[in-house]
Protein backbone atom coordinates (compact mmCIF):
# COMPACT_ATOMS: atom_id res chain seq x y z
CA UNK A 1 0.00 0.00 0.00
CA UNK A 2 0.88 3.66 -0.11
CA UNK A 3 3.38 5.08 2.35
CA UNK A 4 3.95 8.80 2.82
CA UNK A 5 6.99 10.19 4.62
CA UNK A 6 7.10 13.81 5.72
CA UNK A 7 10.09 15.96 6.76
CA UNK A 8 10.98 17.75 8.88
CA UNK A 9 8.92 16.84 11.92
CA UNK A 10 9.43 20.31 13.38
CA UNK A 11 10.43 23.55 11.70
CA UNK A 12 11.13 26.94 13.27
CA UNK A 13 11.47 30.02 11.09
CA UNK A 14 11.69 33.73 11.67
CA UNK A 15 8.70 35.79 10.65
CA UNK A 16 9.10 36.83 7.02
CA UNK A 17 11.29 33.88 6.09
CA UNK A 18 10.21 31.01 3.86
CA UNK A 19 9.28 27.51 5.04
CA UNK A 20 9.51 24.30 3.02
CA UNK A 21 8.02 20.95 3.99
CA UNK A 22 8.75 17.85 1.90
CA UNK A 23 6.89 14.59 1.43
CA UNK A 24 7.73 11.44 -0.47
CA UNK A 25 5.28 8.76 -1.51
CA UNK A 26 5.75 5.16 -2.54
CA UNK A 27 2.83 4.32 -4.86
CA UNK A 28 3.42 5.56 -8.41
CA UNK A 29 -0.34 5.25 -9.03
CA UNK A 30 -1.05 8.11 -6.60
CA UNK A 31 -2.36 11.13 -8.45
CA UNK A 32 -3.75 13.56 -5.88
CA UNK A 33 -1.75 15.31 -3.17
CA UNK A 34 -3.47 17.62 -0.67
CA UNK A 35 -1.99 19.60 2.19
CA UNK A 36 -3.92 20.17 5.41
CA UNK A 37 -3.24 22.72 8.13
CA UNK A 38 -4.26 22.08 11.71
CA UNK A 39 -4.09 24.95 14.15
CA UNK A 40 -3.86 24.18 17.83
CA UNK A 41 -7.13 22.72 19.11
CA UNK A 42 -8.82 22.94 15.71
CA UNK A 43 -9.73 20.55 12.94
CA UNK A 44 -7.48 19.96 9.90
CA UNK A 45 -8.39 22.16 6.95
CA UNK A 46 -7.36 21.80 3.31
CA UNK A 47 -5.05 24.64 2.26
CA UNK A 48 -3.89 23.54 -1.17
CA UNK A 49 -3.85 20.45 -3.36
CA UNK A 50 -2.24 19.32 -6.58
CA UNK A 51 -2.98 16.65 -9.16
CA UNK A 52 -0.38 14.58 -10.91
CA UNK A 53 -0.87 16.28 -14.28
CA UNK A 54 0.38 19.57 -12.80
CA UNK A 55 3.92 20.37 -11.65
CA UNK A 56 3.21 23.41 -9.52
CA UNK A 57 0.29 25.27 -8.02
CA UNK A 58 0.23 28.61 -6.17
CA UNK A 59 -2.26 30.33 -3.95
CA UNK A 60 -0.99 33.66 -2.63
CA UNK A 61 1.86 32.86 -0.21
CA UNK A 62 1.45 29.10 -0.50
CA UNK A 63 2.72 26.88 -3.31
CA UNK A 64 3.02 23.16 -3.86
CA UNK A 65 5.43 21.48 -6.26
CA UNK A 66 5.30 17.90 -7.48
CA UNK A 67 8.06 15.74 -8.95
CA UNK A 68 6.37 12.60 -10.23
CA UNK A 69 9.60 10.97 -11.33
CA UNK A 70 11.15 11.26 -7.90
CA UNK A 71 7.79 10.74 -6.18
CA UNK A 72 8.00 13.72 -3.93
CA UNK A 73 6.04 16.91 -3.39
CA UNK A 74 6.68 19.97 -1.28
CA UNK A 75 4.79 22.79 0.39
CA UNK A 76 6.35 26.24 0.20
CA UNK A 77 5.19 29.11 2.40
CA UNK A 78 6.71 32.51 1.68
CA UNK A 79 6.76 35.58 3.93
CA UNK A 80 5.71 33.51 6.92
CA UNK A 81 3.51 35.09 9.57
CA UNK A 82 2.77 34.06 13.17
CA UNK A 83 -0.65 32.78 12.08
CA UNK A 84 1.09 30.24 9.85
CA UNK A 85 2.15 28.43 13.04
CA UNK A 86 0.35 25.07 12.97
CA UNK A 87 0.78 21.39 12.16
CA UNK A 88 0.88 20.68 8.44
CA UNK A 89 -0.01 17.29 6.97
CA UNK A 90 0.65 16.07 3.46
CA UNK A 91 -1.34 13.21 1.94
CA UNK A 92 -1.54 11.08 -1.20
CA UNK A 93 -4.41 9.33 -2.91
CA UNK A 94 -4.51 6.62 -5.51
CA UNK A 95 -6.31 7.24 -8.78
CA UNK A 96 -10.09 7.01 -8.29
CA UNK A 97 -9.58 5.82 -4.75
CA UNK A 98 -11.41 7.16 -1.74
CA UNK A 99 -8.63 6.91 0.80
CA UNK A 100 -5.96 9.41 1.67
CA UNK A 101 -2.69 8.30 3.26
CA UNK A 102 -1.27 11.03 5.48
CA UNK A 103 2.25 11.92 6.45
CA UNK A 104 3.20 12.17 10.12
CA UNK A 105 2.90 15.95 10.18
CA UNK A 106 5.24 18.94 10.57
CA UNK A 107 4.98 21.38 13.45
CA UNK A 108 5.75 24.82 12.03
CA UNK A 109 6.62 27.61 14.46
CA UNK A 110 6.96 31.13 13.14
CA UNK A 111 8.87 33.32 15.56
CA UNK A 112 8.12 37.03 15.62
CA UNK B 1 -20.51 25.43 4.25
CA UNK B 2 -19.90 21.79 5.12
CA UNK B 3 -20.54 20.89 8.69
CA UNK B 4 -19.12 17.78 10.25
CA UNK B 5 -19.95 17.36 13.90
CA UNK B 6 -18.87 14.83 16.49
CA UNK B 7 -20.89 13.82 19.51
CA UNK B 8 -18.31 14.71 22.16
CA UNK B 9 -15.17 16.86 22.35
CA UNK B 10 -13.83 15.05 25.41
CA UNK B 11 -14.62 11.59 26.71
CA UNK B 12 -13.21 9.60 29.63
CA UNK B 13 -13.94 5.89 29.79
CA UNK B 14 -12.76 2.94 31.82
CA UNK B 15 -10.89 -0.06 30.47
CA UNK B 16 -13.30 -2.68 29.15
CA UNK B 17 -16.18 -0.28 28.53
CA UNK B 18 -17.97 -0.17 25.21
CA UNK B 19 -17.52 3.26 23.64
CA UNK B 20 -19.55 4.89 20.88
CA UNK B 21 -18.26 7.89 18.93
CA UNK B 22 -20.71 9.49 16.54
CA UNK B 23 -20.17 11.68 13.52
CA UNK B 24 -22.78 13.56 11.51
CA UNK B 25 -22.33 15.48 8.25
CA UNK B 26 -24.89 17.69 6.56
CA UNK B 27 -23.60 17.78 2.97
CA UNK B 28 -25.02 14.51 1.66
CA UNK B 29 -21.50 13.12 1.28
CA UNK B 30 -21.15 9.49 0.27
CA UNK B 31 -17.78 8.90 1.92
CA UNK B 32 -17.14 9.05 5.64
CA UNK B 33 -13.93 8.25 7.51
CA UNK B 34 -12.64 7.66 11.02
CA UNK B 35 -9.03 8.52 11.86
CA UNK B 36 -7.02 8.52 15.01
CA UNK B 37 -4.39 11.19 15.52
CA UNK B 38 -1.36 10.56 17.68
CA UNK B 39 1.75 12.77 18.01
CA UNK B 40 4.43 11.79 15.51
CA UNK B 41 2.13 9.35 13.71
CA UNK B 42 -0.11 11.73 11.82
CA UNK B 43 -3.64 10.72 10.87
CA UNK B 44 -4.18 7.00 10.58
CA UNK B 45 -7.29 5.60 8.95
CA UNK B 46 -9.32 3.21 11.09
CA UNK B 47 -12.36 2.57 8.87
CA UNK B 48 -14.20 4.26 6.09
CA UNK B 49 -17.58 3.95 4.47
CA UNK B 50 -18.49 4.79 0.88
CA UNK B 51 -22.23 4.23 1.22
CA UNK B 52 -24.91 3.30 3.71
CA UNK B 53 -24.19 -0.08 5.31
CA UNK B 54 -20.90 -0.29 3.39
CA UNK B 55 -17.56 -0.22 5.18
CA UNK B 56 -13.92 -0.96 4.53
CA UNK B 57 -11.04 -1.46 6.92
CA UNK B 58 -8.38 1.17 7.01
CA UNK B 59 -4.83 0.76 8.24
CA UNK B 60 -5.53 0.15 11.93
CA UNK B 61 -8.99 -1.47 12.33
CA UNK B 62 -8.08 -3.83 15.20
CA UNK B 63 -10.21 -3.20 18.28
CA UNK B 64 -12.71 -1.03 16.40
CA UNK B 65 -15.91 -1.52 14.48
CA UNK B 66 -18.19 0.92 12.64
CA UNK B 67 -21.82 1.38 11.74
CA UNK B 68 -23.45 3.41 8.98
CA UNK B 69 -27.21 3.00 9.02
CA UNK B 70 -27.94 6.45 7.59
CA UNK B 71 -26.03 8.42 5.01
CA UNK B 72 -25.32 11.36 7.29
CA UNK B 73 -24.16 9.37 10.32
CA UNK B 74 -21.07 7.23 10.87
CA UNK B 75 -20.36 5.65 14.23
CA UNK B 76 -17.10 4.29 15.59
CA UNK B 77 -17.37 1.60 18.25
CA UNK B 78 -14.71 0.46 20.66
CA UNK B 79 -16.03 -2.92 21.76
CA UNK B 80 -13.83 -3.11 24.86
CA UNK B 81 -11.80 0.05 25.40
CA UNK B 82 -8.14 -0.31 26.27
CA UNK B 83 -5.60 2.26 27.44
CA UNK B 84 -3.76 2.11 24.10
CA UNK B 85 -6.89 3.50 22.47
CA UNK B 86 -6.44 6.79 24.30
CA UNK B 87 -6.16 9.21 21.41
CA UNK B 88 -7.75 12.01 19.39
CA UNK B 89 -10.40 10.64 17.03
CA UNK B 90 -11.27 12.60 13.91
CA UNK B 91 -14.19 12.01 11.60
CA UNK B 92 -14.19 13.25 7.99
CA UNK B 93 -16.46 13.17 4.97
CA UNK B 94 -16.07 13.70 1.23
CA UNK B 95 -18.16 13.60 -1.91
CA UNK B 96 -17.89 11.04 -4.67
CA UNK B 97 -20.14 12.90 -7.05
CA UNK B 98 -17.47 14.77 -8.97
CA UNK B 99 -14.57 12.90 -10.43
CA UNK B 100 -11.44 13.85 -8.59
CA UNK B 101 -13.21 16.02 -6.03
CA UNK B 102 -11.89 14.34 -2.94
CA UNK B 103 -11.52 17.14 -0.42
CA UNK B 104 -12.12 15.73 3.02
CA UNK B 105 -13.92 17.84 5.60
CA UNK B 106 -13.03 17.08 9.18
CA UNK B 107 -15.00 17.20 12.38
CA UNK B 108 -13.64 18.94 15.51
CA UNK B 109 -12.32 15.70 17.01
CA UNK B 110 -13.04 13.70 20.15
CA UNK B 111 -10.27 13.36 22.69
CA UNK B 112 -10.81 9.97 24.29
CA UNK B 113 -9.02 8.98 27.47
CA UNK B 114 -9.24 5.38 28.64
CA UNK B 115 -8.23 4.86 32.26
Amino acid sequence: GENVEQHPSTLSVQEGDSAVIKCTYSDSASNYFPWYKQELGKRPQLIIDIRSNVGEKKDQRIAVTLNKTAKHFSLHITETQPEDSAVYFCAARREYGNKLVFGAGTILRVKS
Amino acid sequence: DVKVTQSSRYLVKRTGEKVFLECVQDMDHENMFWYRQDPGLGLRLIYFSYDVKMKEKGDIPEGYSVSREKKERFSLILESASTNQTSMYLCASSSRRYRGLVRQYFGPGTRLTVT
Side-chain angles (χ1 to χ4, degrees), chain B residues 12 21 50 65 69 97:
Chain B
V12 180
L21 303 182
Y50 50 89
S65 61
E69 297 297 318
R97 276 187 221 126

Side-chain angles (χ1 to χ4, degrees), chain B residues 4-7 21-34 49 51-54 66-76 91-93:
Chain B
V4 182
T5 58
Q6 295 183 227
S7 49
L21 303 182
E22 289 211 319
C23 175
V24 178
Q25 50 91 7
D26 67 355
M27 282 301 292
D28 202 35
H29 283 171
E30 294 81 7
N31 300 326
M32 295 189 75
F33 307 83
W34 275 106
S49 169
D51 206 343
V52 175
K53 296 192 185 296
M54 306 304 287
V66 290
S67 172
R68 188 144 180 225
E69 297 297 318
K70 292 185 178 181
K71 191 175 186 180
E72 67 271 19
R73 191 179 298 269
F74 190 35
S75 301
L76 180 69
C91 173
S93 72

Side-chain angles (χ1 to χ4, degrees), chain B residues 8-107:
Chain B
S8 306
R9 289 300 304 269
Y10 300 94
L11 210 51
V12 180
K13 295 292 181 180
R14 294 192 180 277
T15 301
E17 277 193 86
K18 191 168 187 175
V19 182
F20 293 87
L21 303 182
E22 289 211 319
C23 175
V24 178
Q25 50 91 7
D26 67 355
M27 282 301 292
D28 202 35
H29 283 171
E30 294 81 7
N31 300 326
M32 295 189 75
F33 307 83
W34 275 106
Y35 295 92
R36 64 176 282 177
Q37 181 177 12
D38 300 288
L41 296 176
L43 301 171
R44 292 180 294 165
L45 183 64
I46 303 171
Y47 267 97
F48 77 99
S49 169
Y50 50 89
D51 206 343
V52 175
K53 296 192 185 296
M54 306 304 287
K55 61 185 178 185
E56 274 195 34
K57 293 180 180 179
D59 300 317
I60 51 164
E62 298 78 18
Y64 304 94
S65 61
V66 290
S67 172
R68 188 144 180 225
E69 297 297 318
K70 292 185 178 181
K71 191 175 186 180
E72 67 271 19
R73 191 179 298 269
F74 190 35
S75 301
L76 180 69
I77 304 154
L78 286 66
E79 296 289 342
S80 176
S82 64
T83 54
N84 62 12
Q85 292 179 308
T86 292
S87 186
M88 171 68 83
Y89 290 87
L90 287 165
C91 173
S93 72
S94 70
S95 173
R96 273 195 296 123
R97 276 187 221 126
Y98 306 107
R99 181 170 160 168
L101 189 69
V102 291
R103 174 177 180 168
Q104 290 190 14
Y105 295 83
F106 283 87

Side-chain angles (χ1 to χ4, degrees), chain A residues 11-78:
Chain A
L11 179 59
S12 288
V13 299
Q14 204 64 38
E15 182 178 358
D17 287 350
S18 294
V20 181
I21 302 169
K22 297 179 180 178
C23 289
T24 59
Y25 60 99
S26 60
D27 189 344
S28 56
S30 290
N31 70 339
Y32 173 70
F33 307 94
W35 286 89
Y36 284 80
K37 174 184 180 183
Q38 186 178 29
E39 295 176 37
L40 189 62
K42 296 193 175 178
R43 68 191 76 192
Q45 302 243 2
L46 179 73
I47 54 171
I48 196 167
D49 55 11
I50 193 168
R51 301 188 189 281
S52 59
N53 57 348
V54 175
E56 183 176 4
K57 184 176 178 181
K58 284 184 182 178
D59 182 3
Q60 300 182 334
R61 295 186 297 107
I62 292 172
V64 57
T65 58
L66 171 65
N67 184 326
K68 281 178 58 179
T69 304
K71 291 192 281 187
H72 66 71
F73 56 111
S74 299
L75 178 71
H76 304 254
I77 306 174
T78 58

Side-chain angles (χ1 to χ4, degrees), chain A residues 15 37 39 61 80-86 88 110:
Chain A
E15 182 178 358
K37 174 184 180 183
E39 295 176 37
R61 295 186 297 107
T80 53
Q81 299 166 6
E83 52 264 38
D84 294 329
S85 295
Y88 291 82
V110 180

